[in-house]
Amino acid sequence: MDEMDKAYAWPYVLKPRWVHDLLLLWRRKQPYDLYIDQVTDYSVAEMRDESLRRCCVAWMANHFAPSRSASTLAQNVWASYSNHFRANDLAPAYLAYLALREPLARQTIEALDGHFSPGMSIRRALLSNVNAAPGAIESLLRTLQHWGVLADNPRQGGYVGDSRLCVAPAIFPLLVWSWWLDARQPSIALEEFRQMPLWTWLETGDFAQAWQCYAGRLWTLDAEGGVPTVYFLPADPAGFTRALLNLLSIDGRSGRQFPRRGDDEDAGARGVAAAPVALGR
């Protein structure tokens, strides 16, 4: 089947907390079926059907916690960061990474690019050219509602733009790393990066400050032809990953291994500057 003829799927309505739970329960080189079982038993409780819940967990794990030889990997950047920050802190990075990997999200972003703003009505007609499997667009839009990007539109039905997600400086390197793994560019103009359609659902006004925060550790800032440009220091994925993980050690944060019941992680993904919760390993 030609790529343009495929109807893209988004099979589940996701919540940031579910991704977070998945990653908090991750352990290195663990039998993969056992890992999926543990997450299924612990999280996604809103899905009452166990088989559906397990399929949803497996779908999220395919993105954020892939396997090799029927086991979890020896290292997982997402799990490391999820042990240091709340689900709301990481929600923008989770969403951007899903958008990078899921064609339906990319098509939806392209359809909304230049149009999305808080308060605007999101109707199916606006997404009429998106090539989606039955029910997929609705699942994606409801996911965006759980992320705090959209809200119900009581007057006209459907959805209305709620807000763009703020990206805390400590989360910004994870956002850049996700994009870099896909693009593999040695440099990019700061304004070009900021204006990417990929960030349609994110607040980009603080990107300039975030670039400055990690200059000299993950990248250098200079000008090319008078244009402010970032040059990435790690030249390979392994090097970039090590540098990213080193930031957690340098910051000296204490992680937490297990989710704490009662955390208000479903109130939307706003207010991401909150301090991380610490729980000794």
Side-chain angles (χ1 to χ4, degrees), residues 8 12 24 37 46 90 146 160 188 194 206 222 234 253:
Y8 294 116
Y12 306 103
L24 287 175
D37 286 343
E46 292 88 334
L90 288 159
H146 284 299
V160 63
I188 188 171
R194 189 185 71 81
D206 294 332
D222 207 334
R253 294 187 175 93

Side-chain angles (χ1 to χ4, degrees), residues 176 179 188-196 199 207 211:
V176 176
W179 164 81
I188 188 171
L190 299 189
E191 187 61 17
E192 179 185 349
F193 184 90
R194 189 185 71 81
Q195 292 187 4
M196 285 181 178
W199 319 126
F207 278 18
W211 284 119

Side-chain angles (χ1 to χ4, degrees), residues 3-214:
E3 189 74 11
M4 296 301 294
D5 294 331
K6 290 181 179 178
Y8 294 116
W10 188 282
Y12 306 103
V13 178
L14 305 178
K15 297 183 177 183
R17 177 174 52 81
W18 294 354
V19 180
H20 201 243
D21 288 350
L22 171 88
L23 294 164
L24 287 175
L25 293 173
W26 183 90
R27 298 293 179 270
R28 66 187 302 270
K29 295 186 177 180
Q30 181 181 23
Y32 204 68
D33 284 345
L34 175 61
Y35 168 59
I36 298 299
D37 286 343
Q38 289 175 339
V39 180
T40 301
D41 289 342
Y42 182 86
S43 190
V44 198
E46 292 88 334
M47 289 187 182
R48 295 186 177 182
D49 184 273
E50 183 177 352
S51 61
L52 182 62
R53 188 164 67 247
R54 182 181 174 85
C55 288
C56 179
V57 168
W59 191 83
M60 293 188 297
N62 181 59
H63 290 296
F64 293 97
S67 64
R68 181 181 297 123
S69 300
S71 298
T72 57
L73 305 181
Q75 179 176 269
N76 187 321
V77 169
W78 291 106
S80 296
Y81 269 76
S82 294
N83 273 283
H84 290 76
F85 299 95
R86 293 179 183 269
N88 284 356
D89 299 338
L90 288 159
Y94 291 157
L95 188 59
Y97 190 64
L98 286 170
L100 279 163
R101 292 173 58 92
E102 284 294 323
L104 179 60
R106 288 206 181 198
Q107 283 196 356
T108 303
I109 285 173
E110 291 170 2
L112 295 176
D113 183 36
H115 302 286
F116 178 80
S117 62
M120 73 170 290
S121 177
I122 307 294
R123 298 185 178 182
R124 289 296 297 268
L126 187 61
L127 305 175
S128 59
N129 293 327
V130 175
N131 192 15
I137 289 180
E138 180 63 20
S139 292
L140 175 57
L141 294 179
R142 287 180 61 195
T143 294
L144 292 173
Q145 184 180 14
H146 284 299
W147 249 261
V149 175
L150 301 181
D152 285 323
N153 189 347
R155 292 184 178 181
Q156 300 178 354
Y159 301 90
V160 63
D162 191 357
S163 67
R164 290 187 172 92
L165 306 184
C166 295
V167 183
I171 304 303
F172 184 71
L174 189 58
L175 198 74
V176 176
W177 173 77
S178 300
W179 164 81
W180 185 87
L181 288 178
D182 183 67
R184 302 291 176 90
Q185 293 182 206
S187 65
I188 188 171
L190 299 189
E191 187 61 17
E192 179 185 349
F193 184 90
R194 189 185 71 81
Q195 292 187 4
M196 285 181 178
L198 179 63
W199 319 126
T200 292
W201 299 323
L202 307 184
E203 176 56 59
T204 62
D206 294 332
F207 278 18
Q209 179 184 356
W211 284 119
Q212 293 287 346
C213 286
Y214 297 97

